[in-house]
Amino acid sequence: MTERNDPHTSCRSADVVVLGAGPAGLVLGVLLHAAGIDCLILERASRARVQTRARAGFLAPNTVRILDRHGLAGGLHRDGRRHGACEFRTQDGRFRLDYGTLGQGGRHHVYPQQNLVTDLLTHYLDIGGRIRFHTDALAVHDADSARPSVTTREPDGRSIRWNARYVAGCDGRHGAARRSLRPGTARYHHHDHGVTWLGLLAETPPSLDAVGYAVHGRGFAGHMARTADVTRYYLQWQRGAPADAWPEQRLWDELDLRMRAADHGPLQRGRLLERGVFDLTCDVVEPLRHGSLLLAGDAASLLAPAAAKGANLAVLEAEILAEALADALLRGDTAGLDAYSDRCLAYIWRAQEFTGWMTRLLHAPPEGSPGAGAGPHFQAGLQRSRLNSLRTSRIHQDWFAENYVGV
């Protein structure tokens, strides 16, 4: 559908304006366009940046089912790999959980998120979807009315107002959607796990055929395959320290130490392509619907990366929201929109609970936190007990597997 432009007011319109071209925004755009709904995606970054932002790469079974259902899974089936095992390394040795044979038998597909985003964006453009890159959404107006609007700053500096029937905020925790919520209309829940990770992307084949979780007195270390030639590593990091505080040699030596390479085999080393420091924090906004403005993806909730739930929640929320918007716009049925927030928050809180459990499993409480008051030896004993239970209890293993791949 062509852009409707009033040259006197620089005001344009679409039935649904989507803020953000991440997994949530792109899946939503594809599904709305396929339903015949006039949709526009606004994205502040360039197309190249959107397609190269490295994020998580573990897609849950339900995510794959959603993508399959809408013809969006060709790339992941062609280039992704099924994965169903993780390995824990502790002072008591190592143990492996073939979680694909536990619980309900679910497995992940390993497929880098930037590849998925590229697939979604290509498909959206191929079917005639509208997207504007380099366009900064400044604010959402009149969300409590039937005709909300979004003001943007264009690449040439002009300001444009987009009118809509609905606005979908998929633009992250610091985006215009959240900033535009009226004071007192939303509850913000924020939690800091007190842990910081250094994320490393290495040009090297995986060293394990499983996700590796190493619990060590010097801090956590993790190994996650991305492709046949690229591996993601994590090191628990001192909060406030810059990503370049250590040279590459020291980082590899520390990974060897914490992952107990001397006992279980050396890690394959390679050139570090990327470093990034991030604190393990989480937040949730309640409710997710504010009149004609609806939140999804990282704008709805942010999870610590310990359990790789973020992209999977984003795809699920996008499908739920697309169905609800289609019902409202095409059939005049708003029941789906009325239930949207409660439906998605049930999934979000379940993901938050398991992510918190994983974070506590892999890290000792930081100094100064309430849990650390009992003393480091007491906390280490609790952590060791949790790991031993996961090592030996089939009931515990089935619970872990169901939640590890669930959304």
Side-chain angles (χ1 to χ4, degrees):
M1 193 169 181
T2 58
E3 295 176 1
R4 300 188 287 273
N5 182 24
D6 181 342
H8 300 291
T9 62
S10 294
C11 181
R12 309 182 184 195
S13 63
D15 288 333
V16 179
V17 172
V18 179
L19 309 183
L26 287 169
V27 170
L28 180 58
V30 167
L31 300 190
L32 291 175
H33 187 86
I37 294 170
D38 179 28
C39 170
L40 170 73
I41 299 176
L42 302 175
E43 169 57 47
R44 68 172 66 92
S46 67
R47 179 174 180 175
R49 176 58 179 156
V50 167
Q51 294 184 168
T52 55
R53 286 186 291 215
R55 296 290 188 271
F58 276 64
L59 300 181
N62 190 57
T63 303
V64 177
R65 285 192 291 268
I66 292 172
L67 297 172
D68 273 329
R69 189 153 54 235
H70 301 288
L72 301 172
L76 74 89
H77 287 306
R78 182 184 64 248
D79 300 324
R81 296 178 297 107
R82 295 197 74 194
H83 185 88
C86 54
E87 180 176 297
F88 292 86
R89 297 182 175 185
T90 76
Q91 68 185 80
D92 298 314
R94 62 178 173 176
F95 65 96
R96 180 185 179 100
L97 289 184
D98 292 311
Y99 61 84
T101 65
L102 298 166
Q104 298 182 5
R107 296 175 181 269
H108 288 108
H109 273 75
V110 181
Y111 192 57
Q113 184 171 311
Q114 61 268 31
N115 293 14
L116 174 63
V117 165
T118 298
D119 294 346
L120 294 170
L121 179 56
T122 300
H123 182 86
Y124 180 67
L125 293 173
D126 285 348
I127 63 176
R130 291 194 291 156
I131 184 168
R132 295 174 69 89
F133 296 103
H134 298 289
T135 301
D136 192 11
L138 302 176
V140 180
H141 309 278
D142 302 319
D144 54 355
S145 74
R147 296 299 297 177
S149 63
V150 179
T151 52
T152 64
R153 181 183 295 113
E154 300 299 297
D156 61 5
R158 288 182 304 142
S159 177
I160 288 182
R161 182 181 292 263
W162 291 88
N163 286 332
R165 297 281 300 281
Y166 294 97
V167 177
C170 308
D171 52 345
R173 65 186 299 194
H174 300 299
R178 275 211 194 184
R179 294 197 308 267
S180 301
L181 298 181
R182 287 191 297 109
T185 61
R187 299 182 300 278
Y188 299 90
H189 310 283
H190 179 80
H191 178 70
D192 186 342
H193 291 286
V195 175
T196 298
W197 279 2
L198 173 69
L200 304 168
L201 201 63
E203 190 176 41
T204 180
S207 298
L208 291 77
D209 65 348
V211 176
Y213 296 115
V215 177
H216 193 278
R218 290 177 61 89
F220 166 77
H223 164 286
M224 288 84 175
R226 284 294 177 262
T227 69
D229 303 309
V230 175
T231 305
R232 171 73 76 179
Y233 285 97
Y234 295 104
L235 278 172
Q236 189 170 346
W237 198 240
Q238 180 180 349
R239 180 156 294 188
D244 60 356
W246 291 5
E248 285 195 19
Q249 178 69 38
R250 184 176 178 186
L251 292 172
W252 283 113
D253 290 346
E254 189 71 15
L255 283 166
D256 275 343
L257 176 66
R258 297 190 196 181
M259 298 201 72
R260 296 178 167 84
D263 298 325
H264 307 305
L267 303 178
Q268 298 195 62
R269 300 189 177 194
R271 181 169 62 96
L272 294 182
L273 304 173
E274 180 183 293
R275 306 185 190 198
V277 174
F278 46 95
D279 300 331
L280 271 61
T281 62
C282 57
D283 68 11
V284 180
V285 179
E286 293 185 307
L288 303 183
R289 182 184 181 187
H290 297 262
S292 299
L293 171 61
L294 301 109
L295 305 180
D298 286 353
S301 67
L302 183 72
L303 293 98
K309 299 294 186 187
N312 295 293
L313 274 176
V315 172
L316 173 63
E317 292 158 8
E319 185 186 50
I320 293 172
L321 182 53
E323 292 173 353
L325 287 169
D327 284 342
L329 290 166
L330 302 178
R331 291 171 282 278
D333 180 359
T334 62
L337 288 178
D338 294 339
Y340 170 74
S341 182
D342 287 343
R343 284 189 66 188
C344 290
L345 284 168
Y347 291 107
I348 286 170
W349 282 116
R350 179 184 177 186
Q352 291 282 8
E353 193 282 329
F354 183 72
T355 299
W357 180 88
M358 278 288 290
T359 303
R360 293 189 297 274
L361 180 75
L362 300 174
H363 308 86
E367 292 185 12
S369 68
H377 297 295
F378 184 86
Q379 293 300 327
L382 293 179
Q383 185 182 44
R384 190 175 186 182
S385 177
R386 295 185 195 111
L387 287 161
N388 284 335
S389 178
L390 190 58
R391 182 201 304 263
T392 59
S393 169
R394 177 58 188 264
I395 292 175
H396 198 174
Q397 292 167 0
D398 285 335
W399 175 88
F400 171 85
E402 181 178 344
N403 284 277
Y404 193 56
V405 300
V407 178

